[in-house]
């Protein structure tokens, strides 16, 4: 139970959320899994570097980061026939259990000295196979727990929890990696998902079985409704435009995610502490930016999203100019601040424009599409780093992201002009 005194410390927009018992119970568990993933931002990459054969660290790093996310897209497509019928809470719980078990095998295999690079990539890939459905279940669960007018605040709070984990997780991982293997940090991530699975079960048990009168998510979706939901998505140019912009945004981010750890080790000759500091400062900026998302709802969607994309790209350009670490740390912080509101604004638009009966399927389709973006970019990042060097890849990613924002702005203006000409 959240105390009235603690609730009064929150901004006014967030206070009504804690009147809902299910939300109060779910938020700490989501925060625990976010913290585990925050540590894995450093641990997955650093363990890949440690176990890679000589001269192959870039390739294994790209493969490991891709495996941590890409199979979720395949899972969304292969298992949709069965999973689209499940309530949101069961989807989130199933994803959490799989991640807990398979990520937990990483430290076990490391302790037994059998963590071959192929096994490592396979375990990461298996842990992410239901990620699209789990992510869809999380936001559909929030939509079912809360009234529509509270969804933006809830999304902002949950996405800010993710950002906060990037403050604490990498910093904590950087400190702990000096004492224990990053394999054990991945084990802590597995434990956090076990906690989430337990708490989701408690939310479902307290509210009634979803889809049977409970309020923990959208009703089960049959095949006909799923097809209708995808048809609805195709008829929403604004949703498709946001989805396309986000896909390319995530794709261009992928090479930067590979290049940053190698920039720290190869260019700066530093260790996990500095890598953790980069991500911690990014997360600090993203927390502030994410909590400001509620104030952005009064502004048009497209100018805000395009500004976010361009701002993140500009934050990466100084890496290629040979700026010292202090300058690039400041740029990474600013990049987090700019990026912070993006996720909350994007999910709120999808929640508001999608009928409740189709929300889980539409969000799963969204997650599946986006899950192909970052991992493809990270898989490409390994060869690019080997060809260009980490500093140049970071700068190239930033410049391409700025070009993406400018292209989106031009297409948006032309689309509005065509729409206006049809009315004349």
């Amino acid at each position: 139970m959240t105390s009235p005194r603690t609730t009064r410390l929150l901004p006014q927009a967030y206070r009504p959320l804690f009147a809902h018992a299910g939300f109060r119970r779910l938020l700490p568990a989501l925060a625990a899994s976010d913290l585990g993933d925050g540590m894995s931002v450093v641990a997955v990459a650093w363990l890949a570097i440690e176990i890679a054969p000589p001269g192959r660290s870039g390739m294994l790093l790209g493969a490991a980061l891709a495996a941590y996310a890409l199979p979720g897209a395949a899972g969304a497509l292969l298992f949709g026939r069965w999973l689209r019928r499940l309530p949101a809470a069961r989807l989130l719980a199933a994803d959490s259990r799989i991640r807990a078990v398979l990520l937990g095998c990483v430290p076990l295999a490391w302790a037994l000295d059998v963590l071959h690079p192929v096994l490592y990539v396979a375990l990461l890939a298996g842990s992410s196979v239901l990620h699209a459905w789990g992510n869809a279940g999380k936001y559909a669960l929030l939509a079912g727990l809360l009234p529509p007018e509270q969804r933006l605040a809830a999304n902002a709070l949950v996405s800010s929890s993710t950002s906060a984990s990037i403050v604490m997780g990498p910093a904590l991982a950087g400190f702990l990696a000096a004492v224990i293997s990053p394999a054990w940090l991945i084990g802590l991530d597995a434990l956090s998902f076990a906690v989430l699975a337990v708490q989701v079960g408690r939310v479902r048990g307290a509210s009634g079985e979803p889809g049977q009168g409970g309020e923990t998510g959208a009703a089960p979706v049959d095949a006909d409704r799923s097809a209708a939901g995808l048809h609805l998505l195709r008829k929403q140019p604004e949703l498709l435009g946001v989805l396309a912009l986000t896909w390319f945004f995530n794709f261009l981010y992928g090479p930067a995610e590979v290049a940053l750890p190698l920039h720290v080790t190869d260019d700066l000759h530093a260790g996990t502490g500095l890598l953790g500091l980069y991500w911690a400062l990014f997360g600090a900026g993203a927390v502030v930016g994410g909590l400001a998302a509620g104030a952005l709802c009064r502004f048009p969607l497209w100018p805000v999203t395009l500004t976010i994309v361009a701002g993140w790209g500009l934050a990466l350009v100084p890496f290629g100019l040979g700026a010292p670490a202090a300058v690039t740390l400041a740029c990474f912080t600013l990049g987090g601040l700019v990026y912070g509101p993006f996720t909350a604004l994007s999910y709120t638009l999808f929640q508001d424009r999608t009928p409740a009966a189709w929300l889980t399927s539409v969000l799963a389709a969204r997650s599946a599409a986006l899950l192909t973006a970052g991992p493809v970019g990270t898989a490409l990042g390994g060869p690019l780093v080997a060809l260009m060097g980490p500093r140049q890849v970071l700068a190239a990613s930033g410049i391409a992201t700025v070009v993406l924002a400018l292209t989106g702005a031009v297409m948006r203006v032309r689309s509005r002009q065509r729409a206006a000409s049809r009315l004349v």
Side-chain angles (χ1 to χ4, degrees), residues 236-251:
Q236 292 281 350
E238 194 172 23
L239 292 181
L240 286 178
V242 172
L243 185 59
L245 178 70
T246 307
W247 194 95
F248 283 104
F249 188 21
N250 291 352
F251 168 74

Side-chain angles (χ1 to χ4, degrees), residues 263 267 315-323 328 389-396 398-399:
H263 171 63
D267 297 333
L316 293 179
V317 172
F319 284 91
L321 302 178
T328 55
R391 180 178 291 158
Q392 290 73 20
V393 168
L394 285 163
I399 293 170

Side-chain angles (χ1 to χ4, degrees), residues 157-315:
L157 196 59
V158 169
S159 63
S160 295
S161 169
T162 303
S163 300
S165 73
I166 302 177
V167 178
M168 297 177 289
L172 183 60
F175 172 76
L176 292 176
V179 182
I180 62 175
S181 167
W184 296 114
L185 301 181
I186 296 175
L188 292 176
D189 191 12
L191 179 61
S192 72
F193 278 104
V195 171
L196 178 58
V198 171
Q199 286 298 89
V200 171
R202 292 184 63 198
V203 169
R204 186 170 72 232
S207 302
E209 178 66 23
Q212 304 295 330
E215 56 174 2
T216 56
V221 182
D222 59 30
D224 291 338
R225 288 185 176 181
S226 176
L230 295 176
H231 178 67
L232 174 68
L233 181 59
R234 289 195 297 268
K235 292 174 64 177
Q236 292 281 350
E238 194 172 23
L239 292 181
L240 286 178
V242 172
L243 185 59
L245 178 70
T246 307
W247 194 95
F248 283 104
F249 188 21
N250 291 352
F251 168 74
L252 293 173
Y253 168 79
E257 190 175 13
V258 175
L260 182 61
L262 296 174
H263 171 63
V264 170
T265 57
D266 297 351
D267 297 333
L268 301 179
H269 307 291
T272 55
L274 182 58
L275 179 60
L277 183 59
Y278 270 106
W279 287 117
L281 291 176
F282 172 87
V287 169
V288 176
L291 291 174
L296 296 177
C297 61
R298 65 177 71 107
F299 297 103
L301 171 70
W302 277 101
V304 173
T305 54
L306 291 172
T307 299
I308 288 171
V309 173
W312 168 251
L314 290 172

